[in-house]
Amino acid sequence: MNKINAMIKHLLIACLICIVIGGGVMIAGVALGGTLSDASISVGDWNLLSPWPFHGSGSYQVEDADTADAWTVTADDVYSVPADHIKNLNIVLRKCELVIGASEDDQIYVSVDQLGQKYCKVEPDNDTLEIIDTRNDKQMTKQTTIRLRMDIPEDYRFNKVKLDIGAGDIQVEELLTKKMNLAGGAGAFRAQSLTVSDAFDAELGVGDFYIEQAVLGDTKIQCGVGAMEIASCELTGDALFRGGVGDVTIGLDAEEKDYNYHLASGLGRLTVFGKNYHALNKAKEQDNDADYTITLDCGAGAMCIKQAKTTR
């Protein structure tokens, strides 16, 4: 019994010594200018820097261990992950400004401003990178715009991109994907280069939509109240453009004979390679024995399909 008491006494003394040493190290660190927020925990290659940056996302759970281990967050709240771990993007914005640029290495980077650190969920879900504005309607009306930036390796191609603009503003330098779903809302979308090789489905709202250069596979675009323009578009599949109240302008990187056409016009004005159509009683078919068909359903606005200036 005495031996047990002696052992417990020794353990208590050892614990007390550890506490004293630990406290001394902490005091020394603070004296040298450090703070508790400088502390970090490293688990494999996955570094969690305090304070925990995913304030709006709750717990962090990734079933894919490789992706979890590769996901890092720097002290200035820049999230990064090797691009080959991410196959899809799921972006849901409410009142945000998002810039998509090019990274200089093989990493995908996401940076958010101070408000976004509190309300934006930025995390990988297996092979999908999610960026979600979690604010409710009341919070959004009282708060300013959240600013985000994503940098993607040059020529990196995703499998699928889902993008809900909301009342946001998105500017894209280059984006490549096999499939893409875009919901317009009241925001704006502007891209220098967009490539969607398999299927592009867009439902635009009251905001503006502009692409400088696009390569699109099977395409379905439902236009809203705002203006929609693609300056130079190479179509490699069937396409449906359904007009709303706003104006639609598509510059095809091709000649008129390269596609078949299915034309319908209501109150709006439809122009196809210089030919004008208005208030068609029935749909007009134009068969050029081409591989793909462009369906144009003009609403109350104006719709113009023309040859792109870049066409040779």
Side-chain angles (χ1 to χ4, degrees), residues 212-250:
E212 181 69 26
Q213 187 171 8
V215 178
L216 306 177
D218 289 335
T219 299
K220 179 181 179 182
I221 298 180
Q222 170 72 53
C223 303
V225 177
M228 195 277 277
E229 179 179 358
I230 303 177
S232 177
C233 181
E234 178 184 348
L235 283 173
T236 60
D238 295 325
L240 166 63
F241 298 99
R242 180 170 285 121
V245 178
D247 294 341
V248 177
T249 303
I250 307 293

Side-chain angles (χ1 to χ4, degrees), residues 33-232:
T35 66
L36 292 179
S37 63
D38 293 327
S40 67
I41 302 173
S42 180
V43 182
D45 295 328
W46 180 22
N47 297 317
L48 308 184
L49 300 182
S50 181
W52 180 244
F54 300 103
H55 298 290
S57 63
S59 62
Y60 181 87
Q61 296 179 348
V62 181
E63 295 179 4
D64 187 336
D66 292 337
T67 301
D69 289 341
W71 182 253
T72 62
V73 185
T74 65
D76 54 353
D77 293 321
V78 177
Y79 316 99
S80 69
V81 65
D84 58 6
H85 287 69
I86 300 299
K87 304 301 181 185
N88 310 297
L89 292 178
N90 181 28
I91 301 175
V92 180
L93 307 180
R94 291 178 64 80
K95 189 178 180 182
C96 302
E97 292 179 2
L98 171 63
V99 175
I100 299 179
S103 65
E104 298 179 352
D105 53 27
D106 61 353
Q107 300 275 322
I108 294 175
Y109 297 93
V110 181
S111 58
V112 298
D113 65 8
Q114 187 172 2
L115 184 62
Q117 294 168 24
K118 183 176 182 181
Y119 289 105
C120 278
K121 168 186 174 182
V122 182
E123 62 185 39
D125 182 5
N126 296 325
D127 61 356
T128 298
L129 177 57
E130 294 189 333
I131 302 175
I132 299 176
D133 184 352
T134 64
R135 291 176 295 177
N136 57 38
D137 292 339
K138 185 177 180 180
Q139 290 170 329
M140 190 177 69
T141 55
K142 291 183 177 181
Q143 294 168 354
T144 58
T145 300
I146 291 176
R147 290 175 173 82
L148 309 96
R149 181 180 178 90
M150 173 187 292
D151 290 302
I152 302 168
E154 187 177 0
D155 296 329
Y156 185 76
R157 188 183 301 270
F158 295 98
N159 285 338
K160 187 172 184 179
V161 173
K162 294 179 66 177
L163 180 56
D164 189 342
I165 298 175
D169 186 346
I170 298 181
Q171 299 182 45
V172 178
E173 181 177 336
E174 181 184 51
L175 183 61
L176 297 90
T177 181
K178 293 180 180 179
K179 298 179 180 180
M180 183 171 180
N181 293 92
L182 187 148
F189 180 91
R190 292 182 290 273
Q192 292 182 18
S193 177
L194 177 67
T195 299
V196 186
S197 58
D198 293 354
F200 180 50
D201 192 339
E203 186 171 347
L204 308 181
V206 299
D208 293 335
F209 179 89
Y210 177 81
I211 302 176
E212 181 69 26
Q213 187 171 8
V215 178
L216 306 177
D218 289 335
T219 299
K220 179 181 179 182
I221 298 180
Q222 170 72 53
C223 303
V225 177
M228 195 277 277
E229 179 179 358
I230 303 177
S232 177

